[in-house]
Amino acid sequence: MTALAVTGPSASLTRLLRQLLRGPLLFPLLLLLLATVAVAAMAVGAAGIPLDRIPAALGLTSHGDMTLIERDRLVLLSVRLPRIAIAIVIGALLASSGAIMQGLFRNPLADPALVGVSSGGALAAAAAIVASDRLAANFKLPFALLPLAAFCGSLLTALILKRIATRERTTSIAIFLLAGLAIGALAGAGIGLLVFVADDRQLRDITFWMLGSLGGATWEKVGLLTPFLLALLAAIPFISRGLDLLVLGEAEAFHVGIPVERLKRIAIVLVAASSGAAVAFAGVVGFVGIVVPHLLRLVIGPAHRNLLPASAVLGAILLLAADTAARTLAAPAEVPIGVLTALVGAPFFLALLLRQRGLAGL
């Protein structure tokens, strides 16, 4: 049976659009979309701000009613802008981590959650919630105990995986992936045990944290997260070519001059630190790391030089849009952001599995 080819004006338009997106139009379009979503996020919410008052609230123009402007400024600077900023940073971290991990594993289904890094952070955070009451009776606990525990849990998980998968200074990616699945399952069992022993308040805290949320965003948290994103973006020029050549196989990449083991170490450290930081401040937000790189790969191709920074921008757009929807759909209550990303990501993931099955002829 002969496959039908799509021809005509629509096919030509699609090819032209892809060529433009792979060229100079990609990042201007993504940044324009990010700015549009950010402006919409400033305007909507439990306390709506009309678009024509936003410039005055930001001090860019003057406005007649100073009472309204002061209220808008307070909402924007204290609540909405920190939340927008943290959504952008965490979305970029999650999507870029997913793109790096897929390139490293040469597996389109890989992301930090799959290898247990996110689960390790979640287990540590749940343990901090359960232990916090007993510790608080004897010690003055810092406000950052929960995110610090989640970050350390993610990093410790990555170190354990690296230790398990490394033998004679060579890291087996297959062992890393399989060990990650086992540790993810172990972390899930640990969280279940903590849920069993938790009281009602702790159980509620664990549940809401596991569902993900960007509530409580502050400029201080944005300042703590931003260096992780800057480090990841700074590493892109140094790892892109290596990730491209890994598609050929580790031996082939080594023979064309890629220091494969050093590339693996850098990639694993970047993914562990980035996903750990994201889990620490947002809880468990799944599917961003899978959905975003695949959407971009379909449009701009697999070259990591463009894929990694574009994933960062599109991840920021996706998480910002999801958070805006999360805080407006049931205002003044909030829908957990992890629920919304799962509602979008899970059908996409299933479609991806079906497509992979079709390509494999199963």
Side-chain angles (χ1 to χ4, degrees):
M1 183 174 163
T2 304
L4 295 176
V6 179
T7 59
S10 60
S12 301
L13 184 61
T14 302
R15 283 197 298 272
L16 177 62
L17 182 61
R18 286 189 174 183
Q19 289 173 357
L20 290 174
L21 288 175
R22 290 178 181 180
L25 279 184
L26 173 64
F27 288 101
L29 283 177
L30 285 175
L31 292 174
L32 178 62
L33 183 58
L34 177 60
T36 303
V37 176
V39 171
M42 291 184 210
V44 302
I49 301 176
L51 289 175
D52 62 340
R53 290 213 308 258
I54 289 178
L58 295 176
L60 301 176
T61 62
S62 59
H63 194 281
D65 193 336
M66 289 307 298
T67 303
L68 289 176
I69 292 302
E70 287 301 323
R71 188 214 67 156
D72 295 344
R73 182 176 292 126
L74 181 64
V75 171
L76 279 179
L77 298 183
S78 301
V79 180
R80 221 160 272 178
L81 284 179
R83 187 156 181 163
I84 290 170
I86 208 166
I88 289 173
V89 175
I90 290 178
L93 287 172
L94 290 173
S96 302
S97 300
I100 291 174
M101 189 151 281
Q102 288 165 20
L104 182 65
F105 285 98
R106 304 188 292 280
N107 186 328
L109 305 180
D111 82 335
L114 182 70
V115 298
V117 175
S118 298
S119 300
L123 175 62
I129 290 172
V130 172
S132 59
D133 288 345
R134 296 178 182 176
L135 292 175
N138 301 307
F139 304 99
K140 183 180 180 181
L141 298 177
F143 79 97
L145 174 64
L146 184 60
L148 183 64
F151 180 71
C152 292
S154 296
L155 277 185
L156 182 61
T157 303
L159 290 174
I160 293 173
L161 288 173
K162 182 75 168 52
R163 183 68 185 87
I164 292 174
T166 301
R167 185 175 183 183
E168 297 178 353
R169 297 186 178 183
T170 300
T171 303
S172 168
I173 293 300
I175 297 296
F176 192 98
L177 179 61
L178 293 173
L181 292 173
I183 287 184
L186 190 62
I191 293 171
L193 185 61
L194 289 169
V195 167
F196 179 75
V197 301
D199 60 27
D200 289 344
R201 185 192 61 78
Q202 293 167 345
L203 179 60
R204 186 173 61 252
D205 289 346
I206 292 173
T207 302
F208 278 104
W209 194 84
M210 292 290 294
L211 293 175
S213 173
L214 298 182
T218 62
W219 289 116
E220 185 179 11
K221 292 180 180 177
V222 175
L224 290 172
L225 275 170
T226 301
F228 291 95
L229 179 59
L230 294 178
L232 190 149
L233 294 177
I236 288 175
F238 303 100
I239 64 174
S240 297
R241 182 168 177 267
L243 291 175
D244 288 343
L245 292 175
L246 272 183
V247 175
L248 303 174
E250 293 185 15
E252 289 77 4
F254 178 78
H255 286 302
V256 296
I258 300 298
V260 175
E261 289 305 315
R262 189 172 69 183
L263 175 65
K264 289 179 189 174
R265 288 195 294 272
I266 293 174
I268 290 171
V269 168
L270 283 174
V271 169
S274 300
S275 56
V279 169
F281 288 96
V284 181
V285 180
F287 291 106
V288 176
I290 289 182
V291 171
V292 171
H294 278 289
L295 283 176
L296 286 169
R297 209 175 275 115
L298 292 173
V299 177
I300 67 173
H304 288 84
R305 186 181 60 182
N306 289 329
L307 180 65
L308 294 179
S311 293
V313 182
L314 188 57
I317 295 169
L318 181 63
L319 199 64
L320 179 57
D323 182 58
T324 304
R327 61 183 173 79
T328 54
L329 288 177
E334 286 190 16
V335 179
I337 192 171
V339 173
L340 288 181
T341 57
L343 285 174
V344 175
F348 182 87
F349 189 71
L350 289 173
L352 179 65
L353 288 176
L354 292 174
R355 182 172 181 270
Q356 295 289 327
R357 189 186 67 175
L359 291 176
L362 299 176

